[in-house]
Amino acid sequence: MGKWYCDSGDSITVSTRIRLARNLEGIPFPSRMSVVQLQEINEKVVDALMSASDEFSKRLNVIKMDEIDDITARAMVERHIISPDFASNRNGRILVVSEDETISVMICEEDHLRIQVIRPSLALQEAYDIADKIDNLLSEKLPIAFNEKLGYLTECPTNLGTGLRASVMLHLPALESLGEISILAENASKIGLTIRGLYGEGSGSQAALYQVSNQVTLGISEKAALENLLSITQQIISREEQAIKRFDDVTIQDSVFRSLGVLQNARILTSAEMMKHISKIMLGQRLKYIKLTDKNLPIKLLIETQPGMLALQGEVDADKRDQKRAEIIRSGLK
Amino acid sequence: MGKWYCDSGDSITVSTRIRLARNLEGIPFPSRMSVVQLQEINEKVVDALMSASDEFSKRLNVIKMDEIDDITARAMVERHIISPDFASNRNGRILVVSEDETISVMICEEDHLRIQVIRPSLALQEAYDIADKIDNLLSEKLPIAFNEKLGYLTECPTNLGTGLRASVMLHLPALESLGEISILAENASKIGLTIRGLYGEGSGSQAALYQVSNQVTLGISEKAALENLLSITQQIISREEQAIKRFDDVTIQDSVFRSLGVLQNARILTSAEMMKHISKIMLGQRLKYIKLTDKNLPIKLLIETQPGMLALQGEVDADKRDQKRAEIIRSGLK
C-alpha cells in the first residue's frame, strides 16, 4: 500500500477520507488543558497504539511535532496527513502516522484524538472499517468520553454524536466549468453535506477537485451517515458524467492536449497553473484521450509539486520552485 | 529551388523580395486602358517572356487570372505570389509565374508590368540580379516607358524613377515584445524606408514578421537604394540580437517550449494563434533551443496553413479549418 495519492482514484473519485474525533474522560479539551495533561495524553495514546497487537502498529511512526520545521509541516498538510491547525500549533504535539501515511492520529488537535484514514477511490466502508478498528483498539485501553444521549463528546458541538467526518474527493471539471458547483453545494448543505475545495474550508477549488463530506454527527448512526454520503456522491458522479456530454468532443480534446503540451514543455509553472492543467490531464484520462502507464501520475504530481513539498526538497525561493515544479512535471510526463 | 518559404531564412532574415514596376510606351496605364489594349499587352509580354532563350523561360507558367477562383487567388496572395489588388481585380489579367513561384510577373496590375523575385534569406543583390535579367529581356523586345529625367514612368508617382521596391522580411520577436517596432518604423520612415507587417500595408504584425522596404525611387540609383536598405536591415538585425539579451533565458525557454507544446497538441488553432506560436518556434530555433530536421518548417507551416491555403484543400468552413490547421501543424511538428 503506497501513499494515498500514489494509488488513487478512477476517473471521478480520487479518494475517500474518514476522520473520527475522540476525547478521553476526565481531562479538559486541548484548548483548556495543561502541559502536564498534554504529556499524559500523549503517553497514553502512543502506548495504546504502539502496544497493540494489530499488524498495523508495526508500521506506525511517532512524530514529535515540535521537532519538525514549518516546511515539513506544510508539506504534511499538502499531503493531507495533518490539518492546517495542527501544523500551526505544534507545541508539544504528537502525530502517530503509518509509513504509507494512509492512517494518522493527531493527538490534541481540537480534540484529544483525531483518527484519520485515507483510501484511494470511493471506499467509504473500507476506510471506515480501518478507522473503527483503531477506535476499538483505543477504546479497549483508554476511557473514551461517551454520553448515552450525546454520543462521543467533542470540543466543538458540530462533532458531537458520532464524531465522524467522512469525505470523498471528486474531480468535477465539467460541473465546475458549467458553474454548477455552487448550486450543488447549496443543495448539499440542505441535506447536511458540505462541498469544499481540495485544501478544505475556505480554499477555492483547485484542479476541479472537491471534497464532499457529511456535516451531521448528532442523531444519526455512522452507517446512515455513510450511506447518505455515498448516495449523494453517486448522484454527483452521475451529474458530472452527464455534464461532460454537453461539451463538444473536439473542444475537450483540444483543451486536454493543450494542457498536456504545456505540462510537457513549460519551464516555469506556478502551483495554480499546474493544477489547472493537471485537472485537464485527469479529464483526458477519464475520457480515454490520454493513457498513462501510471494512471495515478497526475494526482501524484499535483501533490508532490505543492509549494511545501518542493520546499522540502530545498526549493524555498518561489521563482526557483516554479522552475523545479515545471522540471518534475516535464520529466514525469515525458 | 523550391518555393521561397520552403527554403527560407536563417534566424532573423526570412526572405528578400525585389519588385520592378514597368510600363510600355504609347499605351495608357491599366486604370485607363481599353480591353483591347489589355489583350495587346498580355500577348506582347507573354510572347516576350516565353520566347526568351533564357533557361528560366522553360519554367514559366502562364495563368489566366479570370479562370481562377477566389480561394486560389487568396492562397496566391498568402504565398506572396500576387498582390491583394491583383487578386481582387482578375478581369482579363494574366500572371506569368515560375514553377517554384520565386519569379512572377503580374501583367496590368497597377502598372503594365510588375516583375517580382523572392529569394530566401537576405539576398538583395541576388534577387535584384534575377529581376534585372528579366527586365533586360523584356526591354530588348518591348518599348519600356522611360524618361531621361524621371526614369521609369509608372502610374503612381511614388514608383517613378527606378520603379524598384526592395524588401526584406525580418523576424523581430524581441523588438516587438519590447514595443520598439513603432519607434523603429518612425525612424525608418525619416530615411525613406517603411516597416510593415507580414501581409503588407495596413496588416498588423503577424508572427513578429516585418517587411522592411525602400520607399524612395526617384533621384536614387538602384545600387544606392539596395545598399541603403541593406545597411538599415543589418542595423535592425543587430538591434534584435541585442534586444533578446534583455530577456531572461528561462522565461524565453518557457515561452518557446510552451508554444511548441501547444502546436504539437492543439486540436483547434486559429490563424492568429498559430502565427503567435510559430513565431516562438522560430525564436527557439534562432536561440538553438529547438532543432528541427527541416529548419524551414515553421515558416512553411505558417504559409501553408493560412486560411486560403487550407480552403484550397477543401476546408471552407472556418471551424473545420481551425481543426485542419491544428492537424497539419501537429503532424508536421511530431
Side-chain angles (χ1 to χ4, degrees), chain A residues 112-155:
Chain A
H112 293 157
L113 290 165
R114 286 280 174 108
I115 304 164
Q116 179 187 269
V117 174
I118 308 184
R119 299 297 298 136
S121 192
L122 184 56
L124 281 163
Q125 196 56 54
E126 184 195 342
Y128 177 76
D129 288 346
I130 301 172
D132 188 43
K133 208 165 154 185
I134 301 166
D135 185 31
N136 290 337
L137 186 152
L138 288 165
S139 303
E140 278 168 25
K141 311 204 174 184
L142 300 169
I144 301 294
F146 185 84
N147 174 293
E148 280 298 315
K149 235 170 111 184
L150 294 172
Y152 292 103
L153 301 179
T154 55
E155 158 96 65

Side-chain angles (χ1 to χ4, degrees), chain A residues 196-311:
Chain A
R196 296 181 297 190
L198 172 60
Y199 285 113
E201 265 170 282
S203 81
S205 134
Q206 287 148 323
L209 290 170
Y210 292 91
Q211 301 184 64
V212 185
S213 62
N214 71 315
Q215 285 304 297
V216 183
T217 51
L218 198 58
I220 187 171
S221 70
E222 285 85 352
K223 189 164 179 285
L226 294 178
E227 277 170 2
N228 189 18
L229 178 60
L230 179 63
S231 145
I232 298 302
T233 298
Q234 284 165 338
Q235 279 178 43
I236 296 174
I237 292 172
S238 140
R239 279 206 195 191
E240 169 67 23
E241 279 165 348
Q242 288 306 308
I244 200 69
K245 292 180 187 159
R246 287 160 66 184
F247 293 86
D248 168 63
D249 280 357
V250 182
T251 309
I252 302 179
Q253 280 180 27
D254 181 59
S255 138
V256 162
F257 284 105
R258 276 169 185 260
S259 285
L260 183 65
V262 169
L263 293 180
Q264 286 178 329
N265 286 283
R267 263 58 181 169
I268 300 168
L269 267 180
T270 63
S271 180
E273 197 196 351
M274 175 274 291
M275 290 209 258
K276 193 185 81 182
H277 294 306
I278 287 283
S279 171
K280 294 286 167 62
I281 304 300
M282 291 170 73
L283 178 59
Q285 290 183 289
R286 169 175 145 201
L287 299 175
K288 310 220 187 314
Y289 295 150
I290 294 180
K291 269 181 196 155
L292 299 171
T293 321
D294 174 7
K295 76 178 174 62
N296 304 301
L297 190 58
I299 191 85
K300 186 168 169 272
L301 290 173
L302 183 147
I303 298 287
E304 291 185 343
T305 62
Q306 290 297 320
M309 292 291 279
L310 293 178

Side-chain angles (χ1 to χ4, degrees), chain A residues 14-72:
Chain A
V14 175
S15 62
T16 301
R17 182 154 54 147
I18 292 288
R19 183 268 282 155
L20 296 175
R22 299 289 185 260
N23 288 279
L24 303 193
E25 268 178 6
I27 305 176
F29 290 125
S31 60
R32 276 163 295 158
M33 72 190 180
S34 68
V35 175
V36 176
Q37 288 169 324
L38 170 61
Q39 284 171 343
E40 186 191 335
I41 295 182
N42 279 343
E43 276 169 34
K44 282 185 174 173
V45 175
V46 170
D47 273 359
L49 285 169
M50 301 307 281
S51 66
S53 56
D54 277 79
E55 98 282 10
F56 82 85
S57 296
K58 294 172 213 150
R59 295 185 288 114
L60 293 181
N61 292 316
V62 176
I63 294 170
K64 289 185 180 162
M65 291 304 288
D66 43 15
E67 290 178 359
I68 269 178
D69 61 17
D70 285 345
I71 288 171
T72 309

Side-chain angles (χ1 to χ4, degrees), chain B residues 61-78:
Chain B
N61 292 316
V62 175
I63 295 171
K64 289 183 181 164
M65 293 302 289
D66 44 15
E67 288 178 1
I68 269 179
D69 61 18
D70 286 344
I71 288 171
T72 308
R74 182 179 180 180
M76 282 176 158
V77 173
E78 290 168 353

Side-chain angles (χ1 to χ4, degrees), chain B residues 131-143:
Chain B
D132 189 44
K133 207 166 156 185
I134 301 166
D135 185 32
N136 290 338
L137 186 153
L138 288 166
S139 303
E140 280 168 25
K141 311 203 174 183
L142 300 169

